[in-house]
Each structure stands twice: as C-alpha cells, then as structure tokens.
Amino acid sequence: MTERGDIFETGEIFRERELVRVGHVPDLDRVVGRDEEIESMGSALAPAIRGGPPETTIVYGKTGTGKSLVTRCVTREATRRAAADGNTFAYAYIDCSDYGTEAQASRQMARELHERLGDAVDDRSIPRRGIGAADYRDITWELLTEGDVDAFVVVLDEIDKLDGDALLRSLSRARESGKADTFVGAICISNKIEYRERLGERVDSSLQDNELVFDPYDATQIEAILSRRRDAFAEGVLDDGVIPKTAALAAREHGDARKAIDMLYEAGRLAEQERADHVTEAHVDEAVDRAEINRFQKLVSGQTPHVKHILRALALLTERADTRTFRTAEVYDAYRKVAEQAGTTPLSYDRVQRLLKEQAFLGVTESKHTGGGHGEGSYRVHRLLRSPEIVTRGLDDQ
Ligand SMILES: Nc1ncnc2c1ncn2[C@@H]1O[C@H](COP(=O)(O)OP(=O)(O)OP(=O)(O)O)[C@@H](O)[C@H]1O
Ligand SMILES: [Mg+2]
C-alpha cells in the first residue's frame, strides 16, 4: 500500500490545493501587507471590545485588495478579545451581493446574530418570509437585549448592492431610539469609489467616523501573500522564479491578490496537465495568456462568424505589419480574404464598417478618426486592443 502511495506522490504538483483556491479565508496570521489597515480597523473596534460604542468605518478599495478578508479577520479577533475581557461583542457579516434587498439583509443580520449568540438566547426560528425588513430589525434588537450584548457591529460588504438606506440608518439610531441598549456600529465596504459620495448623501455624518482606503497591492506585498501559500504545492515543485514573477505581473496589471493567487493556481494546473514535475515561469506566462484568451472569448462569444473574420483579419494584418492601426479599406480587403477562405460570401463594405464601429464600442478594438495630411480627407483607423496571438488563439479554439 505505501509503495503505491509513493508512486502517486512523484510528480504531484499540489499538496494542499485549497490554499490557492478562491474562497479560502486565511487566518489573521496569514494576512500580510495590511498591518496599517488591520490596526485602523482594530482601533475603530477597540472601544467595543471594552463594552463601549464601536466607531463606524467605511472601507473603500479596488477589488482583491483584502477589504473583506481584513474585516472578517479583525471582527473575528475582536469577538475573541472581548470575550477574554469579559464583554460581549457580536457581529453580523452581510454580503449584500447575496442579500441585496433591505429585507434580505435585515433577515441575514438577525440570523447571523442569532447563530453567534447560540445558547445565550432562546432557540427561535426567524421566519423566512411574511415579515418585513423592519420586523427583522426588531428581532435583532430583541436578540441583542436578550443576549445582553454590549456592542454589536454589522458588516455590510458590497454595500453598493443594497437597495435602500433604512438598515444603515436604523443602525446609527438603534440606541438613541431606545430600541436596544447595545452600542451598535457598522463597517461598510465597497469597491466602487463613486459610491463614496452617494453614501455621504444617504447617511448622516455620524456614520462617517472613519474612512479606510485599501490600495492595490505592490509586488512585494503580493510576493509575501503568495509565499505564505507556498504549502499549496508539494515540496520543491515550485521553481524559484515563479512567485516573484507572478507577483511582478499581478502588481503591474492590477494589484489584485485574488487574481494573483488564481494565476499561481492556474500555473500549477498547467504543470499538472502537462505532467511536468515542476512549475516554471513559462507556466505562469501561459496561465496569463490563457486568462486573457478566456476573457477575449467571453467578449466575442455570441458574435457572428463575420465579426470573427474581421477580428482575424485585423490580427493577421497586425502580425504582418510594423504598425498596429489599419484603415477601414485595408481591414476590409483582409477580411474579404479570410471570409472567402472560410467559404462564406463577404459582407459589404458598409456592413463591415458598421461592425467595426460596434466592436470598438464593445471594447474589442479601438477606432479613431485620423486627419489625412496632404489633401487627403480624414479617415478611420482601427486596431486590436489585444495582441494578435491572443486574438488568433482565442478564435481558433472556439
Ligand atoms: N493581505 C492578504 N493576505 C493574504 N491573503 C490575501 C490578502 N489580501 C487578499 N488576500 C486573498 O485574496 C482574496 C481576496 O481578498 P478580499 O476578498 O479581501 O478582496 P476584496 O478587497 O474584498 O475584493 P472585492 O472588492 O472584490 O470584494 C482573499 O480571499 C484572500 O485569499
Ligand atoms: Mg470583498
């Protein structure tokens, strides 16, 4: 038996795959590069741990910058610390992209609190429907009183997806309105910077105690994040350059930890599929290309074959020429050849011109007017927004 196990171990790329899967929530000690943010959030919650009022915090930042993760970890840690100090701190985490109506979010708040309080409150069922958002909030206030909770923090993640303001307003007034003896606060999270102003209009200033902005990660931070997940791979399988390369690419492109982790995972999967015994930098490059091909395919899926011929024609032109931009007439000539080769009758010049405009609108290509010099009239030029290899590979493998 052990021998057979050994055979399967050789050439195995992953040891603990889940460490590089999206959705994995690491413990606070695996969270790296966000010390300042962790500390700011910690100090906003500090009074609550001692049984006082939490400060409301608004968290902004682009996608994949650790907002949800840091908030989850810090609130979890706060619960632990408060209990150690003999205070009751509770929180409810609501992802408004799952619970987008006021009623759903309010119900989820009641349910989470109920679950966290456990034996401290009577077992009761929270109705699934038939009651309104305000009723769910009343249940929440009752639970707070019954569970003798000193401080309660509601995390509203992706708050821009929530369809109203009543929940947020009620949180800021729960205590002054005499509904609960508990100090109530909120942590609102959004990756839409535009939302900042709207939130300003929606809630009063008391809810805007702290604003915390999460910047995109730099290469050093992403490298640290990925290094902590090295255990996902079997010993000695990752070439030395793989993590630094992934980190450098991710920092340059987006600074998104989620995408960086995913890129590392995809590189590992490619190595696995090839039955390679190492993950190399070439696997990272290929993973990046495949991700781009994938996005391109999504963008053009459902387009007519003629649109695809046009894009292929542009890719061919780009590969062969020194320039990247081409006049409509050039694109049309190349398109005609591609269409004929594919055994279809080419569309008219006008149709192609219109389709090119549409593609520019969809972000597949870019078109602009160029003033012709020396008596030439102005004309339109087109270019692909991706490399011709990506476009050709994406079209080939549909
Ligand atoms: N500082 C970090 N240390 C370790 N892992 C991290 C860190 N930041 C992010 N991650 C990883 O990246 C994933 C995405 O982070 P998170 O969900 O916190 O992003 P977000 O800022 O909430 O993004 P979105 O706006 O898309 O919701 C996390 O689940 C975690 O696996
Ligand atoms: Mg998030």
Side-chain angles (χ1 to χ4, degrees):
M1 277 311 270
T2 42
E3 266 178 38
R4 193 185 282 166
D6 282 349
I7 290 169
F8 282 116
E9 225 171 86
T10 14
E12 279 274 353
I13 294 288
F14 292 106
R15 173 165 57 192
E16 226 180 305
R17 197 182 281 264
E18 59 273 25
L19 287 178
V20 282
R21 289 320 306 275
V22 176
H24 169 77
V25 179
D27 285 335
L28 195 52
D29 62 350
R30 275 200 207 246
V31 179
V32 282
R34 288 278 106 132
D35 292 346
E36 253 175 58
E37 290 79 1
I38 291 174
E39 264 168 41
S40 307
M41 202 173 284
S43 42
L45 294 184
I49 290 169
R50 301 186 180 84
E55 285 173 15
T56 287
T57 304
I58 302 181
V59 181
Y60 289 109
K62 293 210 168 124
T63 180
T65 52
K67 302 180 297 296
S68 300
L69 175 67
V70 164
T71 308
R72 274 181 191 278
C73 288
V74 174
T75 42
R76 200 160 56 190
E77 184 65 19
T79 314
R80 230 174 274 145
R81 279 289 300 280
D85 289 0
N87 294 312
T88 315
F89 169 86
Y91 70 94
Y93 178 93
I94 303 161
D95 187 340
C96 301
S97 56
D98 292 333
Y99 304 100
T101 69
E102 287 275 323
Q104 287 168 343
S106 303
R107 171 167 187 267
Q108 187 59 14
M109 168 172 80
R111 289 189 54 193
E112 286 240 344
L113 176 64
H114 185 239
E115 201 179 298
R116 292 252 148 68
L117 291 177
D119 294 339
V121 290
D122 277 348
D123 199 18
R124 63 162 96 194
S125 69
I126 295 165
R128 188 169 275 282
R129 55 174 64 83
I131 67 174
D135 303 315
Y136 288 121
R137 292 198 287 272
D138 285 339
I139 295 178
T140 307
W141 316 141
E142 282 164 32
L143 285 169
L144 290 173
T145 308
E146 209 181 312
D148 215 4
V149 178
D150 299 308
F152 178 51
V153 168
V154 180
V155 180
L156 292 167
D157 203 348
E158 317 260 341
I159 187 173
D160 43 282
K161 308 254 165 63
L162 188 61
D163 72 352
D165 313 332
L167 174 55
L168 200 50
R169 286 225 196 85
S170 74
L171 293 177
S172 63
R173 303 208 187 113
R175 195 177 162 101
E176 55 187 89
S177 65
K179 299 227 164 157
D181 264 343
T182 309
F183 289 109
V184 178
I187 299 178
C188 306
I189 309 176
S190 175
N191 55 23
K192 310 251 180 315
I193 279 291
E194 330 77 86
Y195 186 73
R196 182 194 245 146
E197 278 178 19
R198 253 189 53 218
L199 191 66
E201 291 159 14
R202 278 168 67 162
V203 298
D204 47 80
S205 55
S206 71
L207 266 178
Q208 296 174 48
D209 293 340
N210 301 293
E211 192 175 276
L212 208 57
V213 178
F214 282 50
D215 290 326
Y217 289 112
D218 63 25
T220 318
Q221 291 167 323
I222 296 185
E223 194 171 328
I225 291 170
L226 296 178
S227 296
R228 294 284 171 107
R229 314 221 179 177
R230 194 180 274 279
D231 301 351
F233 296 89
E235 186 120 13
V237 155
L238 268 193
D239 277 5
D240 284 347
V242 168
I243 287 184
K245 173 159 192 150
T246 312
L249 285 174
R252 201 185 65 202
E253 298 291 320
H254 42 66
D256 176 335
R258 189 186 289 119
K259 282 205 189 124
I261 294 167
D262 208 43
M263 210 192 276
L264 186 63
Y265 173 61
E266 288 302 329
R269 269 193 2 141
L270 283 173
E272 195 173 51
Q273 280 163 15
E274 289 173 9
R275 302 191 183 281
D277 46 13
H278 278 262
V279 185
T280 64
E281 290 178 48
H283 288 125
V284 178
D285 281 325
E286 180 59 14
V288 173
D289 282 355
R290 289 206 186 181
E292 211 184 324
I293 290 172
N294 226 308
R295 281 195 298 275
F296 171 74
Q297 286 176 330
K298 284 213 181 99
L299 208 56
V300 300
S301 76
Q303 298 280 3
T304 65
H306 286 286
V307 168
K308 290 174 186 167
H309 297 331
I310 295 174
L311 296 174
R312 191 184 290 279
L314 254 175
L316 285 170
L317 286 171
T318 315
E319 258 165 10
R320 289 178 195 157
D322 297 333
T323 164
R324 293 187 55 95
T325 59
F326 304 92
R327 295 164 72 145
T328 313
E330 292 175 280
V331 181
Y332 185 69
D333 280 346
Y335 153 77
R336 241 186 23 214
K337 286 188 197 123
V338 173
E340 277 161 5
Q341 251 166 35
T344 52
T345 317
L347 302 173
S348 71
Y349 186 89
D350 282 355
R351 276 298 303 282
V352 170
Q353 197 166 27
R354 241 176 298 140
L355 289 173
L356 273 166
K357 264 192 202 147
E358 220 172 86
Q359 291 309 300
F361 180 74
L362 294 172
V364 181
T365 60
E366 193 180 71
S367 292
K368 61 173 189 244
H369 264 297
T370 304
H374 300 296
E376 274 186 282
S378 81
Y379 54 88
R380 205 169 255 285
V381 292
H382 312 274
R383 75 181 187 98
L384 286 174
L385 287 172
R386 286 158 192 78
S387 77
E389 296 92 283
I390 297 289
V391 171
T392 312
R393 283 181 63 186
L395 293 169
D396 281 345
D397 145 63
Q398 288 242 322

